[in-house]
Amino acid sequence: MPDPAKIIRVDPVSPDKKTVQTAGKILHQDGLVIFPAACMYGVAANALSTKAIEKVFTLKQRPKDKAILVLVPGPESVLDFAASIPETARKLMAAFWPGKLTLVFKAKNDLPKALTAGTGKIGIRQPGHPVALKLVQTAGLLLTGTSANLSGQDNCTTVGQLPKKIIEQSNLILDAGTLKGGSGSTIVDVTTEPVTILRQGRVSTAQIMAALL
């Protein structure tokens, strides 16, 4: 049985400030926090800590050649990861953030190599779920936003679906109940001209093209 003290119920709309601050302290110590995103539970870690990122790969049994996307509190933090912000990206952020859309930028050269998996690119999203957004805003860190599942397995929409390994190796689990599931964010590479839609998700191609006019 998992340690009940590790799992904390949170209001999915208005999370308790003290609970979010506790999660933030764990993240500052290179710990792992399971958190609710719009469609599934995710794994948060300090995205600029090589030690924390390695924990995420171990937790998920994730291949080293798979990059990990990151979560930011807002567009003003994108340049902490991205080498530049194309005008297309500015338009898409204005139209669809927070939530729904992950943008792939050219990565800064000094990012942890495990984060980009040697691709030279980095996926970035401002989360839309109130708990996820409050966590990244409160922690004072830029966080990983990968799904809380074993690599290649189904996403988890309830804490009860989390694999035993993930429960055991995480430091805190924020339980916001059942998430809606379904399609994740649309992923758009803004390093190309025109932009490239890498994964169709919650934002349609038509919506993206309209925002870029």
Side-chain angles (χ1 to χ4, degrees):
M1 292 293 291
D3 179 0
K6 183 186 288 190
I7 302 175
I8 300 179
R9 289 284 299 188
V10 292
D11 187 310
V13 176
S14 182
D16 175 67
K17 181 178 179 181
K18 184 177 180 180
T19 298
V20 176
Q21 289 175 334
T22 297
K25 290 178 182 177
I26 290 171
L27 293 165
H28 273 275
Q29 297 168 354
D30 287 337
L32 302 180
V33 174
I34 308 300
F35 69 95
C39 300
M40 66 202 74
Y41 280 87
V43 182
N46 180 354
L48 293 178
S49 166
T50 297
K51 179 179 178 181
I53 295 168
E54 288 296 336
K55 287 183 178 181
V56 174
F57 274 93
T58 300
L59 180 79
K60 288 175 57 67
Q61 299 174 3
R62 187 178 180 88
K64 296 291 186 177
D65 61 352
K66 281 191 155 187
I68 292 181
L69 71 88
V70 297
L71 303 177
V72 295
E76 70 281 355
S77 298
V78 168
L79 287 176
D80 289 327
F81 290 101
S84 63
I85 304 177
E87 182 59 28
T88 51
R90 295 186 187 278
K91 290 180 178 180
L92 293 174
M93 287 188 289
F96 301 112
W97 278 15
K100 296 185 180 181
L101 189 68
T102 297
L103 299 178
V104 177
F105 296 85
K106 181 179 179 182
K108 293 176 67 174
N109 291 330
D110 58 353
L111 294 183
K113 294 188 184 303
L115 200 60
T116 63
T119 63
K121 298 181 179 183
I122 186 75
I124 303 176
R125 182 172 73 249
Q126 181 188 24
H129 191 285
V131 177
L133 184 58
K134 182 65 69 174
L135 180 61
V136 73
Q137 290 173 336
T138 301
L141 295 171
L142 305 172
L143 305 176
T144 61
T146 186
S147 54
N149 59 349
L150 300 180
S151 188
Q153 295 192 5
D154 291 340
N155 295 320
C156 300
T157 57
T158 68
V159 166
Q161 293 174 346
L162 292 171
K164 180 181 178 182
K165 173 184 173 67
I166 286 183
I167 292 175
E168 290 176 346
Q169 295 190 17
S170 61
N171 300 99
L172 183 68
I173 298 169
L174 302 179
D175 183 357
T178 302
L179 306 178
K180 64 182 181 181
S183 299
S185 64
T186 295
I187 302 178
V188 178
D189 188 336
V190 295
T191 69
T192 62
E193 182 60 47
V195 301
T196 303
I197 299 175
L198 302 178
R199 184 182 76 186
Q200 186 69 66
R202 299 177 64 205
V203 181
S204 70
T205 299
Q207 288 174 306
I208 291 168
M209 294 302 106
L212 293 176
L213 292 176

